[in-house]
Amino acid sequence: MTPPPPQPADSSSPRSVQAPGTTIERVKTVLRRDLKLGPDVTIADDMPLAGGDFDLDSLDMLLLLTSIEKEFGVRITDGSVGREVFASVATLGAFIESMQPRS
């Protein structure tokens, strides 16, 4: 898999502006790190992960799931994740939030 070329961050885009430390921003950090995209790549909340620019394969998804478990302290069981979870950054973030214990 070849990641898309880096693009400078666009802070004027409302869909990519999230408070630091939010679930989606943390997901974007994991994506940048694990897919070796670099810190300046713009990742929109609605960017598709499966079938989009990144077109994650099964090994990429496994790597991301492992990293997400470590980053968010959640346990993702076999069968709880389908390709729909990887439809976009936002759907992945929503899935992670649903896995976290309520406080």
Side-chain angles (χ1 to χ4, degrees):
M1 179 190 86
T2 304
Q7 300 172 2
D10 179 7
S11 61
S12 65
S13 173
R15 67 181 180 186
S16 63
V17 176
Q18 296 281 330
T22 65
T23 299
I24 288 184
E25 282 305 308
R26 290 171 64 194
V27 167
K28 291 177 184 181
T29 298
V30 170
L31 288 168
R32 288 183 186 103
R33 180 190 67 219
D34 288 0
L35 300 178
K36 297 175 179 39
L37 301 175
D40 297 327
V41 172
T42 300
I43 300 175
D45 296 355
D46 62 352
M47 185 177 71
L49 297 174
D53 288 341
F54 293 127
D55 198 19
L56 302 179
D57 61 24
S58 58
L59 292 176
D60 294 326
M61 290 182 189
L62 183 60
L63 172 66
L64 287 174
L65 287 175
T66 302
S67 293
I68 286 167
E69 285 182 330
K70 291 177 184 174
E71 173 73 21
F72 293 94
V74 296
R75 178 77 181 122
I76 301 171
T77 59
D78 291 342
S80 66
V81 177
R83 285 188 72 85
E84 65 277 357
V85 169
F86 289 93
S88 71
V89 175
T91 59
L92 182 56
F95 172 76
I96 292 166
E97 288 177 352
S98 76
M99 297 295 294
Q100 294 179 318
R102 303 284 179 224
S103 42

